[in-house]
Amino acid sequence: MELLFLLEQVVNGLVLGGYYLLIALGLSLIFSVGGIVNLAHGAFYALGAYGAVEIAKHLGFGPAVVLSPVAVALLGILFERFLLRRFYTADPILSLLVTFGLALVLTGILFLIHGTSFGRVVRAGIQRPDMVAALGIRLQPYMTAIVMLGVGMAALGGALFAPITNVHPAMGAEIITVAFVVVVIGGLGSFWGVVLAALLVGVVRGITIHFVPAAGEASMYILMFLVLMFRPRGLLGERIEKFE
């Protein structure tokens, strides 16, 4: 019986890891192609959750899971064209500041929504965009699609999470931390690394909650520490000569 319950926690962990993957993979894609660390990524996740809740009131959960991420993905087109596009070859700190500011603005808007309807119920070497431009490839059309896909995935994660979690304005700030942990464990720019890390973090949290419930949140940070101790690049990231 104990083994069966443990197996159940592993399965639950894999499901949780699937949610983490939706958010972390979008974050990793935007960084890999555009060299942008999108600190507003969690806010798009929250928008997806809020949108799903509102749409579900009128159309049900099924349509909400489709329509909310699509709406946020379309918003991502405006986000890329009018904000991110200006910073692909600029100092990375500028994109950090801009996306952080956008995260605050979107969270503030969600607080207003929550108070109404919800109240009632490092620069290092050459940047990736520079490398793409050197090959004669126009970055903008690809980045529009990448950002649209990335924020849409985050919104999908929020929409799927909405029925089983507490939907609130600061939920984006909570999930962005988990997303960064997953990306760091998997390795910056590594697709399969993020996939492996998301599932691993989910399973580790599931098993830890089974044995030591109070340590469930800390388990992912301990996992990140252990991985970086032996592989500073992450599980499948590129080799970092300075550290290895």
Side-chain angles (χ1 to χ4, degrees):
M1 183 64 69
E2 183 70 18
L3 180 61
L4 183 62
F5 184 75
L6 180 60
L7 180 61
E8 181 181 338
Q9 298 308 308
V10 172
V11 173
N12 290 337
L14 289 174
V15 173
L16 183 63
Y19 285 121
Y20 292 161
L21 178 60
L22 286 172
I23 294 95
L25 193 55
L27 182 69
S28 181
L29 281 173
I30 294 173
F31 172 77
S32 299
V33 180
I36 299 288
V37 178
N38 179 23
L39 295 181
H41 204 69
F44 288 108
Y45 160 82
L47 282 176
Y50 270 82
V53 170
E54 288 296 326
I55 294 172
K57 291 178 182 178
H58 306 283
L59 301 177
F61 179 68
V65 171
V66 176
L67 295 177
S68 180
V70 169
V72 175
L74 293 176
L75 185 61
I77 296 177
L78 301 178
F79 173 50
E80 191 278 330
R81 288 190 176 180
F82 294 102
L83 283 179
L84 291 190
R85 188 169 293 187
R86 303 169 182 265
F87 300 101
Y88 293 141
T89 57
D91 191 323
I93 194 64
L94 295 178
S95 62
L96 285 173
L97 292 173
V98 168
T99 56
F100 177 67
L102 178 62
L104 294 180
V105 170
L106 292 177
T107 301
I109 292 173
L110 290 177
F111 268 109
L112 292 176
I113 296 173
H114 193 87
T116 55
S117 61
F118 275 77
R120 292 195 296 269
V121 254
V122 168
R123 192 189 311 198
I126 187 170
Q127 288 183 310
R128 285 178 178 81
D130 295 330
M131 296 170 64
V132 173
L135 295 175
I137 301 173
R138 293 184 68 249
L139 180 65
Q140 284 79 5
Y142 295 98
M143 277 308 300
T144 300
I146 289 295
V147 173
M148 183 178 176
L149 176 62
V151 301
M153 291 173 65
L156 177 59
L160 291 172
F161 240 124
I164 59 175
T165 191
N166 180 26
V167 177
H168 59 92
M171 64 188 298
E174 297 171 357
I175 199 65
I176 193 67
T177 303
V178 179
F180 274 117
V181 169
V182 169
V183 170
V184 170
I185 291 175
L188 294 175
S190 172
F191 173 85
W192 291 111
V194 172
V195 173
L196 177 60
L199 298 178
L200 184 60
V201 168
V203 170
V204 167
R205 290 194 69 176
I207 294 177
T208 303
I209 290 173
H210 169 61
F211 289 105
V212 190
E217 185 71 20
S219 63
M220 64 178 181
Y221 300 110
I222 296 173
L223 176 62
M224 180 175 68
F225 173 76
L226 293 175
V227 169
L228 295 182
M229 277 282 292
F230 297 98
R231 290 182 67 85
R233 74 184 88 167
L235 294 175
L236 299 178
E238 297 177 359
R239 184 179 180 84
I240 303 174
E241 296 291 345
K242 183 177 180 180
F243 298 110
E244 295 187 67

